[in-house]
Amino acid sequence: LSTTASILMAAQEASIVTTTGGIEGAGAGGGLGLNAPGAGPKVNHFAGGGGGKRKDRPDFPEEIAQKWESMLSDEGPCCYMLAIYSANGKALELVASGPDEGPDGLGKCGMDMFKAELEKYPDKAGWGGFRCNAVDNRQNTISKRAKIIFVQYMPESAPAMRKAKMGPHKGAMKETFTGAHCDIVVEKPEDIAADELVLLTHSTSALPVEFGDRLTR
């Protein structure tokens, strides 16, 4: 290094304020502007992965995550959603969600509607979920708690390679489809049975569960 460059580097290092806790950087000067932004050690960010695509998950539009959040929310009638793999298997497509009208809050239950949508895709693998409610009826006082069921749909007629990719994808899918009380793997709509779901949800609540217009214990 030249003499001039060495002097500049020494002056730059001397300008960084170090607190007694060993903290360096733009905030270490106590708000007095003693450190310029970027002073101190370089911070490495890993979340973006360098801007590349993650290989452990398919691409999917933001509306899929938005519909899942709508189902979790007590606002609005959305109580189920379903996303299936695209023709090339590299992306998910939202094919069903809803309903657009109906009860909101703890009045919405989507199991039957979700099963009806699965029947339309006997050879398409995908991910989705629906909402039901645990019901507590004590001394003429009824209270409900939302229960979210996360579903991995792997119909027998779906391409074998597509289904093989679902295992590695599952962890990433659950990062998006958060808040579920249990998750199930089904090959056909009939695999979703109310009495079995009650047993699964009993791990988080011993209450009977409401599926639309019926109550199952």
Side-chain angles (χ1 to χ4, degrees):
L1 293 175
S2 67
T3 303
T4 302
S6 299
I7 293 173
L8 287 174
M9 289 180 64
Q12 204 172 39
E13 292 176 358
S15 68
I16 298 174
V17 175
T18 303
T19 66
T20 55
I23 301 172
E24 298 180 350
L32 300 178
L34 299 179
N35 284 343
K42 181 181 178 181
V43 177
N44 293 315
H45 297 279
F46 301 97
K53 294 182 180 179
R54 289 180 55 171
K55 296 182 179 180
D56 63 346
R57 67 180 298 168
D59 297 328
F60 55 85
E62 183 62 27
E63 64 176 340
I64 291 179
Q66 291 173 348
K67 286 298 182 182
W68 181 267
E69 291 299 322
S70 295
M71 184 178 67
L72 296 183
S73 173
D74 287 342
E75 301 294 329
C78 184
C79 56
Y80 75 91
M81 60 80 61
L82 174 64
I84 63 171
Y85 283 90
S86 60
N88 63 12
K90 295 182 179 180
L92 285 178
E93 301 171 346
L94 181 69
V95 295
S97 65
D100 295 327
E101 297 181 359
D104 59 4
L106 294 175
K108 57 183 185 180
C109 297
M111 185 182 75
D112 291 337
M113 289 179 278
F114 182 77
K115 292 172 66 174
E117 293 297 335
L118 292 185
E119 292 177 354
K120 301 176 184 178
Y121 303 96
D123 58 352
K124 304 286 187 181
W127 307 87
F130 59 90
R131 177 169 170 150
C132 53
N133 297 307
V135 180
D136 188 4
N137 187 349
R138 300 180 185 180
Q139 298 179 349
N140 297 322
T141 299
I142 299 177
S143 62
K144 298 181 180 182
R145 302 173 188 172
K147 296 292 180 181
I148 307 299
I149 313 299
F150 172 65
V151 181
Q152 179 178 348
Y153 181 49
M154 301 177 65
E156 186 175 355
S157 299
M161 289 297 294
R162 192 84 73 254
K163 291 188 288 186
K165 288 184 177 180
M166 296 187 81
H169 288 175
K170 188 168 187 176
M173 291 299 96
K174 295 184 77 170
E175 291 178 7
T176 297
F177 300 135
T178 60
H181 295 86
C182 66
D183 59 271
I184 58 176
V185 179
V186 302
E187 292 186 341
K188 52 188 181 297
E190 304 87 79
D191 291 341
I192 302 176
D195 53 350
E196 294 182 7
L197 288 177
V198 170
L199 295 177
L200 290 174
T201 57
H202 273 183
S203 63
T204 57
S205 171
L207 302 175
V209 180
E210 179 182 58
F211 299 95
D213 60 354
R214 60 189 180 279
L215 195 66
T216 304
R217 295 181 179 274

